[in-house]
């Protein structure tokens, strides 16, 4: 039972340490919207979303006022459109029409983002899913708040290398089509391995086909809170450090649990999961890098960084699962570059490289996130980066992702400004040795031996 004493205990965290609930996300099934006629399908999608989520923003604002807890984003995720549009969509233009419908829903409901312009192609692609993927660049250009994701691998199925090759090309095309805005279309596009069905965080959120008709998922945050707790452990051994992080994560998660329960009751929509992820912002003091450096690193990227991140991720999960019976999504620590001032500083001072970030993704929640690279980077090199990250997820039985932005017209030494929660990023150098022969092999990398558990 959550009581107001627990909320009062978090006042300092909210006022001084940047604690917030990062998102309330309504997951909505569009399976009952499917039709062979594209206009009917779009009408059904619009009616379903605007009916189910009509009170989402208002409810979030009421909870904020009642408890004084900032709720940064109100979001919607839907059934992967590659599946929903399979009957009606005969061209990329048909899929773009659905993207525009989703954008219209987001604008009318005043939500921050709507996710699910997605395809799950870890073992192969249907003709409709290929069309959706090919439509992504145009869809990202003509919409503002629609997010896209493509799951190209899993521990059970292996990695669809045809999809990996295609996504390298799609990311390049998306960057070119949105070059007037520093290739921001790529900031709304993520490639995943082992994508969860209940992730409330963008850009990878979609409402899995195994989910209920609609559901409330809440993502909590609080790197600043954890950072301050870590600083109080200066000089203590690892046992004391881990215990402190775990107890802090428990308190943060209880705030999210309270918000989830209130939102579920007020909207009359079942509660799904709490995502325990520590999601940073560009605000000073709200940084995962600061947490790692508080453990004793001169800079994130120094030797010991991966071990420090492993500690943080594990203790956040251990504390969180004691605070809520329904934990899901990604849950752990995000390490985006552009959204984390400490990560940006580490890149700028030369301590943090793309290769070190890749090593860190072996133990973090997601993967290579919000990384700006030179616009001249080839699609094959981007596909190679994706393949490496998907392999980490497949072998380690975890979610990994790539949200990478080849910024058209910019090169190493320049910066790119995205604004808001997306922040800004220095353009990072990329290994330019060619991998195209490897990427062009095609086919599927088989699932690892430890995937056979039946």
């Amino acid at each position: 039972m959550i009581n107001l004493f627990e909320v009062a205990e978090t006042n300092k965290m909210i006022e001084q340490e940047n604690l917030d609930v990062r998102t309330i996300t309504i997951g909505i099934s569009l399976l009952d919207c499917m039709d062979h006629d594209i206009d009917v399908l779009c009408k059904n999608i619009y009616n379903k979303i605007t009916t189910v989520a009509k009170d989402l923003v208002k409810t979030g604002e009421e909870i904020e006022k009642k408890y004084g807890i900032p709720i940064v984003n109100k979001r919607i995720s839907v059934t992967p459109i590659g599946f929903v549009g399979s009957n009606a969509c005969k061209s990329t233009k048909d899929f773009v029409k659905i993207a525009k419908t989703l954008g219209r829903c987001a604008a009318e409901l005043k939500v921050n983002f709507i996710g699910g312009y997605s395809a799950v192609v870890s073992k192969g692609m249907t003709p409709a899913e290929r069309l959706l993927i090919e439509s992504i660049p145009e869809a990202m250009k003509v919409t503002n708040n629609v997010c896209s994701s493509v799951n190209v691998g899993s521990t059970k199925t292996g990695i669809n290398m045809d999809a990996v090759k295609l996504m390298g090309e799609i990311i390049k095309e998306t960057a070119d089509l949105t070059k007037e805005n520093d290739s921001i279309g790529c900031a709304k596009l993520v490639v995943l391995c082992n994508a969860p069905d209940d992730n409330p965080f963008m850009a990878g959120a979609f409402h899995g086909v195994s989910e209920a008709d609609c559901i409330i998922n809440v993502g909590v945050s609080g790197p600043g809170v954890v950072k301050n707790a870590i600083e109080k452990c200066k000089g203590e051994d690892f046992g004391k450090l881990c215990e402190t992080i775990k107890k802090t994560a428990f308190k943060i998660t209880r705030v999210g649990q309270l918000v989830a329960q209130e939102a579920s009751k007020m909207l009359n929509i079942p509660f799904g999961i709490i995502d325990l992820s520590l999601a940073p912002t560009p605000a000073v003091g709200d940084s995962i890098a600061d947490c790692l450096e508080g453990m004793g690193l001169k800079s994130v990227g120094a030797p010991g960084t991966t071990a420090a991140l492993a500690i943080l991720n594990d203790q956040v999960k251990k504390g969180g699962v004691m605070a809520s019976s329904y934990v899901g999504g990604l849950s752990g620590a995000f390490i985006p570059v552009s959204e984390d001032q400490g990560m940006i500083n580490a890149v700028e001072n030369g301590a943090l490289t793309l290769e070190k970030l890749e090593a860190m993704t072996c133990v973090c929640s997601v993967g290579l996130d919000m990384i700006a690279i030179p616009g001249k980077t080839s699609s094959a090199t981007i596909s190679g980066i994706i393949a490496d990250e998907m392999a980490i997820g497949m072998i380690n039985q975890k979610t990994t992702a790539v949200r990478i932005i080849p910024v058209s017209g910019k090169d190493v030494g320049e910066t790119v400004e995205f604004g808001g929660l997306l922040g800004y990023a220095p353009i990072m150098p990329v290994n330019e040795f060619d991998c195209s022969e490897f990427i062009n092999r095609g086919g599927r990398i088989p699932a690892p031996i430890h995937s056979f558990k039946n």
Side-chain angles (χ1 to χ4, degrees):
M1 181 69 181
I2 296 174
N3 56 53
L4 287 175
F5 173 78
E6 290 184 78
V7 178
E9 189 182 19
T10 64
N11 278 348
K12 181 185 174 186
M13 298 179 184
I14 293 168
E15 293 172 2
Q16 300 177 23
E17 300 171 358
N18 297 306
L19 174 63
D20 59 58
V21 170
R22 187 53 48 85
T23 179
I24 298 177
T25 302
I26 293 185
I28 302 174
S29 173
L30 301 182
L31 296 181
D32 56 349
C33 297
M34 294 175 70
D35 196 274
H36 69 279
D37 184 291
I38 183 64
D39 292 323
V40 174
L41 172 59
C42 288
K43 181 180 178 182
N44 290 345
I45 290 172
Y46 177 82
N47 289 340
K48 177 82 179 273
I49 293 173
T50 54
T51 299
V52 173
K54 68 181 187 300
D55 295 324
L56 173 60
V57 171
K58 180 178 74 173
T59 298
E61 291 170 349
E62 288 176 2
I63 295 171
E64 285 183 283
K65 291 176 183 176
K66 183 175 181 180
Y67 294 108
I69 301 169
I71 301 172
V72 179
N73 284 295
K74 293 84 177 175
R75 298 166 171 168
I76 297 168
S77 65
V78 298
T79 311
I81 296 300
F83 183 76
V84 174
S86 58
N87 243 358
C89 295
K90 310 303 180 189
S91 68
T92 57
K93 289 183 179 179
D94 288 339
F95 274 111
V96 171
K97 191 168 188 176
I98 297 177
K100 290 179 178 178
T101 301
L102 295 176
R104 192 155 58 97
C105 292
E108 180 168 322
L109 296 171
K110 294 181 172 58
V111 296
N112 302 95
F113 290 107
I114 183 164
Y117 196 75
S118 308
V120 180
V121 296
S122 50
K123 202 171 183 180
M125 280 180 277
T126 65
E129 287 168 331
R130 177 175 280 274
L131 284 175
L132 177 130
I133 292 172
E134 291 173 348
S135 77
I136 288 172
E138 181 67 18
M140 295 300 97
K141 178 184 179 181
V142 300
T143 61
N144 293 320
N145 299 332
V146 175
C147 290
S148 180
S149 61
V150 180
N151 190 83
V152 300
S154 75
T155 300
K156 277 290 187 183
T157 62
I159 302 171
N160 181 350
M161 289 301 292
D162 292 326
V164 169
K165 179 176 184 287
L166 179 57
M167 286 312 300
E169 297 164 358
I170 292 299
I171 289 170
K172 281 285 287 184
E173 187 180 346
T174 303
D176 289 341
L177 278 185
T178 58
K179 61 185 178 183
E180 291 82 5
N181 295 311
D182 283 332
S183 301
I184 197 168
C186 296
K188 301 183 292 173
L189 170 60
V190 62
V191 186
L192 294 138
C193 178
N194 290 321
D197 286 349
D198 53 8
N199 167 27
F201 284 98
M202 301 296 169
F206 62 80
H207 188 71
V209 294
S210 63
E211 297 288 303
D213 186 59
C214 52
I215 208 82
I216 293 286
N217 297 322
V218 168
V220 298
S221 190
V225 180
V226 175
K227 166 184 167 281
N228 284 353
I230 289 171
E231 287 176 348
K232 294 174 184 175
C233 290
K234 190 174 180 63
E236 301 283 356
D237 67 16
F238 285 108
K240 175 70 172 178
L241 173 66
C242 291
E243 190 70 14
T244 299
I245 297 171
K246 185 170 64 176
K247 288 179 178 178
T248 305
F250 177 90
K251 294 176 182 178
I252 293 170
T253 306
R254 291 296 273 179
V255 174
Q257 178 85 354
L258 172 69
V259 170
Q261 289 177 346
E262 285 287 300
S264 175
K265 182 171 66 176
M266 293 169 70
L267 292 166
N268 195 29
I269 294 175
F271 162 52
I273 58 95
I274 298 289
D275 188 309
L276 311 176
S277 298
L278 293 181
T281 71
V284 174
D286 199 27
S287 162
I288 297 297
D290 288 351
C291 294
L292 304 181
E293 290 169 8
M295 295 185 196
L297 303 172
K298 181 69 174 178
S299 172
V300 66
T305 296
T306 305
L309 182 59
I311 291 169
L312 182 64
N313 219 45
D314 186 51
Q315 299 309 312
V316 164
K317 291 181 179 182
K318 285 175 177 173
V321 296
M322 291 299 292
S324 175
S325 298
Y326 296 97
V327 171
L330 299 167
S331 290
F334 289 0
I335 53 170
V337 173
S338 77
E339 299 172 12
D340 187 312
Q341 187 60 53
M343 293 288 183
I344 294 168
N345 294 342
V347 171
E348 291 178 334
N349 68 28
L352 188 59
T353 65
L354 192 58
E355 289 74 20
K356 183 60 176 179
L357 278 166
E358 182 183 301
M360 292 166 67
T361 64
C362 295
V363 298
C364 80
S365 284
V366 203
L368 298 171
D369 194 16
M370 288 302 294
I371 294 170
I373 61 173
K376 65 182 180 182
T377 307
S378 71
S379 61
T381 295
I382 294 171
S383 292
I385 292 169
I386 293 170
D388 286 343
E389 197 59 38
M390 300 303 100
I392 289 172
M394 176 184 72
I395 295 297
N396 291 312
Q397 305 178 69
K398 68 186 292 295
T399 302
T400 51
V402 173
R403 187 163 49 148
I404 198 163
I405 304 146
V407 185
S408 293
K410 292 200 173 183
D411 209 339
V412 176
E414 298 181 80
T415 60
V416 57
E417 182 73 48
F418 299 117
L421 282 176
L422 297 178
Y424 74 97
I427 308 293
M428 298 184 70
V430 174
N431 188 319
E432 295 182 359
F433 282 85
D434 184 53
C435 64
S436 56
E437 185 178 344
F438 176 78
I439 295 300
N440 288 332
R441 283 179 178 272
R444 180 161 53 94
I445 295 176
I449 186 66
H450 57 258
S451 69
F452 304 121
K453 294 185 177 179
N454 292 338

